[in-house]
Amino acid sequence: MAAINDLINQIDDLELRERIKAEVDKLSKQKKFGLVFEDHVPECTALYDVPVHVGSKVALKDKKINDVYVVKAINDNQATCVNAQTKETAEFNVDSLVSIAEFGEAIYPYLKPIDSIENATDSSLWHTLIEADNYHALQLLEYLYAGKVDCIYIDPPYNTGAKDWKYNNDYVDSSDAYRHSKWLSMMEKRLKLAKKLLNPADSVLIVTIDEKEYLHLGCLLEELFPDARMQMVSSVINSKGVSRGSEFFRVNEYLFFVKIGDCSVSELPLQDQWLGNIKTSTTKQVRWGSLMRSGSGSDRKDSPGCFYPIYISKDKTHFCGAGEVVPVGVDRNTVAIPKDVIAIFPIRENGTEGRWQYSREKYLNLQAKGYARISTQTKGKKEATIRYISEGWQKRVESGEIKVTGTAVDGSLIFDDKEYEQKYIPGNQWWIASHDATEFGSKLLTKLIGKRFTFPKSLYAVHDSIRFFVANKPNALILDFFAGSGTTLHAVNLLNAEDGGHRRCIMVTNNEVSDEEAKKLKKDGFKPGDPEWERLGIAHYVTWPRTVCSIKGEDINGNPLKENYGCPMETYSEIDGEVTDPETGKKIRGKVYKKIKKPTYPELEHINMSDGFKANAAFFKLGFLDKNAVALGRQFKELLPVLWMKTGCVGLCPKLEEGSLPSMLILPQNAFAVLIDEHTFPEFMAKINDEDRIKQVFIVTDSTSGYREMISHLSIKKSYQLYRDYLDNFRINTGR
């Protein structure tokens, strides 16, 4: 731009010069800096619940859904259709067609109950699995939980071109000038919606990826989350390696952690394998360090305000205050010292002058709290030194992690740290045995449901990734909209069992079948939408069975699971035994190593897989309603699960039997109520104001002023107007 501006300035005609400057300025503002890619239109959406009629946009069930036709006429179950692109006319059987919605068209979702598992009747904790294209599910969730999600964990398609599950790896378009465009376009649209769901004050987005797309994903995340703090971790998921032809074997994958607002990594009690090369103190006892600073910036001149005498009694048992700061240039030996005290300056063993860790005021506060002590145990010497505990240890004391049992003569605290568990934050290179995707992903899943899914994540890899951010959030809301085999919900249940948490998980997955299964089904004459086809889709065949089995504690055949959680791993322990002397050949007593199985997670080893989890889960399919029918209140029954989710999934999802609608629904077990007939408001008001368990209400009325008048008489803080609220918020796709 600088060169262009120089050339423009050489133009003699002032008016022409200014006009060209203005146009160049416009162009510079339009240029897209950063990641540049072709913007692809997302896949069309099949509307299996919407009947095919004249004027419908449709696609053939057994063909590409993006091949769009418009129905011009229907006679004797034969539809005359015009191809939207080629304008060619064709005749199809109506049963072979499915209604579709293209990107940009308004569609109105509902949740169709498929199944549920209730393993904790006394708990209000309900997880949810939604079978849907995740783009539309995210738009539904935006209405339900905008700004309320604490953690999103996703394992999106890696764009390798594999065909084992279409859902995972079929996002490269052969017509792309840039082979990553379609994948990036798909991810961008979903991440934009995900951003709206995350709590702006404190939340995290976790995305796993391999080397095929990690560079592009990183740039995309930086563009979409400019105010967030992002870090990438490399994690070994297969120590044996996966062959990549003539390339290096792949042993790892990458995790992007996008931290929103005040989100930070929690210190956790971790096994030694997490340490790696990180220089982290492994002491499990309170460490009293020297109050004199060491390392860089430790000279007197580096911090003049931290050079002053600390006074202790002659017998070296009591603190006696501190002298004033000795200014730079003043010899410490000229400072007057009170009688009957010893003055201790920050002087190194070689006689040079250092500095204290804290200013005089901060030191006195530290000493008053008992965090400083007098030590005379310095390498056998008789000189006294001042020791203290760091701010990290102070926090552990004040939080109750370290017990205080008394006070020493000098006023310093006495601790009982026998039960203290060391906590720390690991480095960004994870080589953790329990993260092996074969042992604790594929093999674990096979024990539950058989060989139905390739390359699931290690249960413990997901458990750990999430735990670093929700360990201190027992009521966190966690979302996975690329749910795959359902590892995320399994991990959330394990976290809850570990610490008694009440975290809730929402999973979203479509119901694609594997490429191999699709070929078999087509050969047998089945099409997408047929029960035989849907039964083998990922949601019905993998995600939900895994969820049910893990909650019930049994395999797909009803047999109890035999192992414990905690990931037993083989290790070696040094014990006393007999060894052979290499010089004499005689047996002598010595140290030998014995192979043992040691749990990677001692805190989990008491959790038996056969016990399952005290949790409940509901399985829904995302469907779409006719706008006019909704506005007329004809499809309230279908909307009830949406209202249940909006109010927090409390209790078993309610349902209405066929027949006429009641005038109101009072559902204290679900913590919400619905006024369906506004003429019965006085009765509704009396019941609501007398029921403490009702936290949210929905009022069906076309009158906004009438709605406001009614809610003014209710003691409920959260209320919604139906169906205006629904129609205004569920135009999912319009202008997207």
Side-chain angles (χ1 to χ4, degrees), residues 25-41:
D25 185 59
K26 288 180 183 179
L27 288 172
S28 65
K29 290 179 180 178
Q30 292 172 3
K31 180 175 174 59
K32 182 177 180 181
F33 291 94
L35 193 61
V36 181
F37 55 90
E38 297 177 43
D39 189 22
H40 283 257
V41 174

Side-chain angles (χ1 to χ4, degrees), residues 60 292 319 442 452 474 520 579 678 721:
L60 288 165
M292 185 167 64
F319 284 105
S442 298
R452 298 186 176 188
K520 291 180 181 178
V579 296
E678 58 185 303
Q721 180 185 355

Side-chain angles (χ1 to χ4, degrees), residues 496-515:
N496 287 339
E498 178 182 350
D499 62 9
H502 202 261
R503 302 171 186 88
R504 183 158 61 93
C505 182
I506 301 171
M507 296 193 300
V508 180
T509 180
N510 67 20
N511 200 42
E512 289 283 359
V513 302
S514 69
D515 191 57

Side-chain angles (χ1 to χ4, degrees), residues 9 54 94 134 225 231 442 478 489 526 579 637 641 664:
N9 289 331
V54 175
V94 172
N134 57 11
F225 298 87
Q231 188 173 19
S442 298
I478 299 161
L489 192 150
F526 298 115
V579 296
K637 294 182 181 70
M664 65 186 73

Side-chain angles (χ1 to χ4, degrees), residues 478-495:
I478 299 161
L479 168 65
D480 182 350
F481 55 88
F482 283 105
S485 70
T487 309
T488 302
L489 192 150
H490 197 162
V492 171
N493 274 332
L494 188 57
L495 278 168

